[in-house]
């Protein structure tokens, strides 16, 4: 029996935060569907582990060790992708940091600034750098991972919640701006998932009772394929 056609064969996808958790799961799922995945994360060892999983899934990856809090190199990355591939078909903005949970007025400025730098400003820099490459694709897809924290005012979650609310508005505004193009922009809210960030926020939880990161991947794949129709939506990931 012939193998089913891979829905992302020949496509180029970039995933941030790809060294573990949801980012790793999404990268492997995209690769299994045929995409060449560009893996971006701070941790080289984690990227190499993801690369092993990508290869095991029959895919190919390019590894880019980078801290998204350092913004200028993101422009250079856009140029390098343009030179090598001429386009970007799928952008998955997944990388995020929680910061420290605590009263807003007690928060260390460096913690607050890093949360905003990674969760918000890096997203804007990604859009700025990769918009021309997404437009060069016949079906550019931008997917950003958000959180239910963006739509509630939970005490002690100020920095993270504010960053995700800003991310949502940034992504939805961008969606409106590209509505008449072939680009589709959506957000994925994964809900409660077994990740390192979740463990840091809820140390008393039993992680074995939570859905694994792989539970989010199918939603992201559906939003990444050329036939995707949703646009400017916040989609539940599990």
């Amino acid at each position: 029996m012939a193998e089913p056609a891979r829905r992302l064969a020949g496509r180029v996808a970039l995933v941030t935060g790809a060294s573990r958790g949801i980012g790793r799961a999404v990268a492997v799922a995209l690769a299994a569907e045929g995409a060449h995945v560009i893996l971006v994360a701070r941790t080289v060892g984690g990227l190499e582990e993801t690369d092993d999983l990508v290869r095991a899934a029959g895919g190919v990856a390019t590894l880019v060790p980078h801290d998204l809090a350092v913004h200028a190199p993101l422009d250079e990355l856009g140029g390098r992708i343009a030179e090598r591939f001429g386009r970007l078909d799928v952008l998955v903005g997944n990388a995020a940091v929680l910061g420290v949970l605590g009263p807003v007025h007690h928060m260390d400025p460096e913690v607050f600034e890093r949360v905003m730098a990674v969760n918000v400003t890096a997203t804007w820099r990604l859009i700025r750098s990769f918009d021309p490459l997404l437009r060069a694709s016949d079906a550019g897809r931008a997917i950003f991972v958000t959180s239910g924290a963006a739509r509630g005012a939970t005490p002690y979650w100020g920095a993270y919640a504010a960053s995700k609310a800003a991310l949502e508005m940034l992504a939805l505004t961008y969606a409106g701006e590209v509505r008449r193009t072939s680009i589709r922009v959506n957000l994925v809210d994964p809900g409660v998932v077994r990740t390192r960030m979740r463990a840091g926020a809820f140390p008393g939880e039993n992680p074995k009772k939570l859905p694994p990161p792989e539970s989010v991947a199918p939603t992201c794949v559906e939003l990444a394929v050329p036939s995707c129709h949703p646009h400017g939506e916040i989609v539940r990931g599990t």
Side-chain angles (χ1 to χ4, degrees):
M1 181 180 295
E3 293 185 4
R6 299 201 290 178
R7 293 179 292 168
L8 293 170
R11 318 282 301 169
V12 181
L14 182 143
V15 182
T16 67
S19 61
R20 62 174 184 264
I22 292 172
R24 170 179 288 177
V26 171
V28 173
L30 295 175
E33 287 284 358
H36 181 125
V37 288
I38 302 168
L39 310 176
V40 182
R42 286 190 302 162
T43 309
V44 174
L47 285 174
E48 291 174 343
E49 291 173 1
T50 303
D51 184 36
D52 290 341
L53 294 173
V54 166
R55 292 175 184 275
V60 179
T62 298
L63 278 56
V64 181
H66 180 65
D67 182 351
L68 289 184
V70 183
H71 297 136
L74 295 177
D75 296 336
E76 299 173 9
L77 179 58
R80 282 155 44 197
I81 293 173
E83 290 177 2
R84 180 171 178 182
F85 299 104
R87 72 187 195 283
L88 182 66
D89 300 300
V90 183
L91 167 62
V92 181
N94 162 74
V97 294
L98 177 65
V100 176
L101 301 183
V104 170
H105 60 289
H106 285 177
M107 193 165 296
D108 188 309
E110 292 185 0
V111 172
F112 185 87
E113 289 166 5
R114 179 168 178 80
V115 170
M116 292 298 169
V118 174
N119 299 3
V120 184
T121 307
T123 299
W124 166 66
R125 295 298 287 255
L126 289 168
I127 292 172
R128 180 175 179 269
S129 183
F130 298 135
D131 172 73
L133 298 176
L134 291 169
R135 290 176 186 267
S137 170
D138 61 339
R141 303 289 180 255
I143 304 160
F144 300 99
V145 178
T146 184
S147 166
R151 297 173 297 285
T154 305
Y156 312 120
W157 283 70
Y160 182 75
S163 74
K164 287 299 185 178
L167 165 70
E168 288 190 0
M169 187 55 65
L170 185 65
L172 294 175
T173 300
Y174 179 51
E177 293 169 352
V178 299
R179 188 169 298 278
R180 296 186 179 182
T181 74
S182 61
I183 299 174
R184 297 291 177 266
V185 181
N186 292 286
L187 293 131
V188 172
D189 179 357
V192 177
V193 177
R194 186 196 313 151
T195 64
R196 184 179 298 185
M197 182 184 293
R198 178 78 187 185
F202 299 93
E205 241 176 12
N206 182 354
K208 294 181 180 180
K209 295 184 177 181
L210 305 181
E214 289 75 15
S215 64
V216 184
T219 299
C220 292
V221 170
E222 291 300 325
L223 295 175
V225 297
S227 60
C228 164
H229 293 296
H231 180 63
E233 297 184 13
I234 301 175
V235 182
R236 183 74 177 189
T238 57

